[in-house]
Amino acid sequence: MSNAASGIAVNDNCKAKFLELKAKRNYRYIIFRIEDASQQVVVDKLGEPNDKYEDLIASLPANECRYAVFDLDFTTTENCQKSKIVFIAWAPDIARVRSKMVYASSKDRFRKELDGVQVELQATDLSEMSYDIVKERAISI
């Protein structure tokens, strides 16, 4: 278990599942949450390999913060098939202030635990993380 600067630990299962997404593509996405009781980042939900980006969006709670990674497949303007792993820090405006502070202070340390993330996005509203925005960000990197 690694310890983040904010005092939040990262459960070893988080890295194990991320490696499965990255290397084996066992999951399309992973949603992580900070567990209040244990003060550690844990896996909240695993997306099936054939799930879509919309499934990830639908799985994010409207009023609670989460971290997520998504294995994005896309076609470039040159018609090349590409894949990039996207990290999303979800902190909706209506989430509790303390929760937003904890997620914000833990984000960079947790993100560094996930070796292989190529795109990072922060969103407080679903409009800030539409598929088009994520794809555009992935293409530009």
Side-chain angles (χ1 to χ4, degrees):
M1 208 177 309
S2 334
N3 209 351
S6 65
I8 299 294
V10 178
N11 185 292
D12 291 337
N13 192 39
C14 294
K15 284 195 281 188
K17 294 299 178 192
F18 176 76
L19 288 173
E20 288 180 37
L21 176 142
K22 184 172 91 168
K24 301 178 187 168
R25 304 191 89 181
N26 288 0
Y27 313 107
R28 175 60 64 185
Y29 65 86
I30 306 171
I31 298 175
F32 305 94
R33 66 182 164 80
I34 296 176
E35 204 171 59
D36 286 335
S38 64
Q39 289 293 290
Q40 63 177 314
V41 180
V42 296
V43 172
D44 192 41
K45 180 170 185 186
L46 299 167
E48 296 298 319
N50 57 350
D51 280 356
K52 306 273 183 260
Y53 186 71
E54 294 75 33
D55 298 313
L56 165 65
I57 299 297
S59 298
L60 291 171
N63 60 347
E64 292 178 27
C65 300
R66 292 290 188 271
Y67 301 125
V69 289
F70 184 81
D71 187 4
L72 178 71
D73 292 324
F74 61 96
T75 307
T76 66
T77 49
E78 295 84 31
N79 214 21
C80 294
Q81 288 292 322
K82 296 254 182 177
S83 177
K84 290 193 178 170
I85 297 174
V86 180
F87 177 87
I88 299 167
W90 170 241
D93 286 329
I94 59 174
R96 293 188 340 259
V97 172
R98 184 182 186 300
S99 176
K100 289 193 272 191
M101 288 171 47
V102 170
Y103 274 81
S105 65
S106 305
K107 178 184 70 77
D108 289 341
R109 181 75 174 89
F110 177 58
R111 160 75 182 73
K112 286 182 180 123
E113 297 282 333
L114 307 178
D115 185 38
V117 167
Q118 296 142 307
V119 182
E120 187 173 323
L121 187 72
Q122 289 186 208
T124 58
D125 183 82
L126 292 178
S127 66
E128 298 173 344
M129 54 186 282
S130 71
Y131 179 80
D132 290 340
I133 289 172
V134 172
K135 183 180 169 193
E136 193 61 44
R137 184 79 58 91
I139 289 173
S140 67
I141 290 179

